[in-house]
Amino acid sequence: MDEPVDIYEQAALNMSIPEGCDVTRTVYASIKQLISHDIIDPSSVGFQSCEPLCGLCYHGSKEWDYIRFNIIVVGIILPIVGVFGIVGNAISAFVYSRPEMRCSTNFYLFSLACSDTGVALTGIFLFSLETFRPFSLTVARMSGQLSAIVYPMGMIAQTCSVYFTMCAGVDCFVQVCLPEKVRRAFSRKETVHFLAICVLIFSVLYNVPHFFEGFVIDCYHKDLGGMSKEVCPATLRYNELYQSIYYKYMYAIFLAVGPLITLIVLNTFIIGVSVFGSSASNTDDTMSLILVVLLFISCNTIALIINIFESYLSETLGSKINYIVDLSNFLVVFNSSFNIIIYIKYSRPFADTLFSYFCRRKPKTESPGLGPPIMITEKPSRSKKCKETLSRLLVASQPEVLI
């Protein structure tokens, strides 16, 4: 007796491939696989000659209000903020790598600046380039070809940013709240480098599954009149067990609730000791790091809510959830781009070192290498001309906010 055939498997088997086409092509097998797992509707599959039509897996919104919002926020403002962030993070990495700025916390902030550069770069590609995909065949091809690789790379950079922020927060807690013996042990060069390597290895391993969540197919773009590429989800992405374990529980523990609660608790202790106690740690640096952590918490809260309550929000808001998703993506890039403003405004050692290198003058006081945060306390003289030059550069690099 023949075994019953699932309705979706039957639909895949009955998919009509145009006559004269090579039925053994990989693209046809991929489409059948998507149909058999109910990922795409067989009625949405069309062909131009022997090529499948684009739109199998990518469905852009047709609402003009949302398209306008998406173009302004994600297509224009986000890349401006991202470019500013790339420049700002490069400056931050340069300053924190200077000999006079060497300490454990600053090493984590240097690493954070490097990972934030990756977040800004991949964010511009993934979010902004996707906005203009329906309007340009070249952009559609580029986005389709590279998104399956850029997305996991972006997630690796984002995971690094989360955990380097946590490392900086933990280090600040140790320097402010714990005894000197613990501070010195935690600030050892070997400890700092070991933790940084652990963050990097964990970030790569944790995001390996993202490399297997999608594949690229060749398709014909009917509206733009040419061959293009499109990223389709692999069956792994829609596996219920995988979604439950990886996207709900592991995400909540390792990238959302866990880090946020940890940083909130650490920040509470740091603020309490800074306000009501006494600490040998530099007040300016403590304040700047507190603000960096608070910025991280505020910018990642929306992403946390979306990922935990995605199903409920989709049912309640319908297509309007796209506005919240775009805002969340923008805040992720904004968070990775704004730290330099905090450093310049609230960290005197950072500002002093930055001004001294722009003025081509070395600071008068240097810290004695890696160890507890012994920062520059003597403020080097700055000429009026130097301050005006740096101010003009910073103002010129500020993102223009469009209303």
Side-chain angles (χ1 to χ4, degrees), residues 9 40 50 70-72 88 90 107 131 152 167 182 188 219 227 248 275 278 301 310 359 369:
E9 292 181 359
I40 63 174
C50 291
N70 181 259
I71 290 175
I72 293 174
F107 180 83
T131 297
C167 285
V182 180
R188 292 177 57 194
C219 59
M227 291 299 297
K248 290 185 179 180
V275 173
S278 61
T301 300
E310 181 179 3
C359 294

Side-chain angles (χ1 to χ4, degrees), residues 325-337:
V325 171
D326 282 353
L327 180 60
S328 173
N329 292 335
F330 171 76
L331 288 176
V332 168
V333 176
F334 180 84
N335 177 55
S336 299
S337 305

Side-chain angles (χ1 to χ4, degrees), residues 124-167:
I124 292 173
F125 179 89
L126 288 172
F127 306 138
S128 301
L129 203 63
E130 191 74 9
T131 297
F132 299 102
R133 179 188 178 95
F135 309 110
S136 170
L137 193 60
T138 302
V139 172
R141 288 172 181 165
M142 186 185 304
S143 178
Q145 181 66 47
L146 299 178
S147 289
I149 299 297
V150 176
Y151 171 67
M153 296 299 294
M155 290 304 300
I156 290 174
Q158 191 171 347
T159 305
C160 283
S161 292
V162 169
Y163 279 90
F164 282 131
T165 302
M166 282 190 62
C167 285

Side-chain angles (χ1 to χ4, degrees), residues 30 48 59 65 131 155 164 169 241 254 262 265 301 305 307 321 348 373:
S30 299
Q48 176 74 24
H59 306 283
D65 288 342
T131 297
M155 290 304 300
F164 282 131
L241 183 62
F254 295 111
T262 301
V265 171
T301 300
I305 294 172
N307 280 275
I321 194 175
R348 177 176 293 180

Side-chain angles (χ1 to χ4, degrees), residues 220-289:
Y220 183 83
H221 204 299
K222 192 174 181 180
D223 294 334
L224 299 177
M227 291 299 297
S228 183
K229 293 181 180 294
E230 190 167 307
V231 178
C232 285
T235 55
L236 172 67
R237 181 65 178 85
Y238 285 87
N239 182 279
E240 290 185 4
L241 183 62
Y242 175 74
Q243 283 188 328
S244 178
I245 294 177
Y246 189 72
Y247 272 93
K248 290 185 179 180
Y249 298 111
M250 290 183 66
Y251 176 85
I253 294 171
F254 295 111
L255 286 181
V257 179
L260 285 178
I261 290 178
T262 301
L263 289 172
I264 290 171
V265 171
L266 291 175
N267 245 26
T268 301
F269 278 103
I270 293 169
I271 293 172
V273 173
S274 299
V275 173
F276 300 105
S278 61
S279 174
S281 185
N282 187 287
T283 305
D284 289 340
D285 296 300
T286 302
M287 176 58 67
S288 66
L289 187 54

Side-chain angles (χ1 to χ4, degrees), residues 336-399:
S336 299
S337 305
F338 194 77
N339 287 343
I340 188 173
I341 303 298
I342 295 176
Y343 299 148
I344 292 174
K345 181 70 175 176
Y346 294 98
S347 175
R348 177 176 293 180
F350 181 93
D352 288 346
T353 305
L354 177 61
F355 278 115
S356 71
Y357 276 91
F358 266 82
C359 294
R360 299 182 181 278
R361 296 173 64 182
K362 293 289 184 182
K364 296 180 181 179
T365 306
E366 297 184 356
S367 65
L370 261 172
I374 304 174
M375 311 301 291
I376 306 170
T377 55
E378 182 177 350
K379 186 175 181 180
S381 61
R382 306 181 221 167
S383 67
K384 182 178 180 181
K385 180 178 179 182
C386 176
K387 289 197 290 183
E388 291 175 351
T389 301
L390 184 56
S391 298
R392 286 197 300 269
L393 288 172
L394 292 173
V395 170
S397 62
Q398 288 279 359

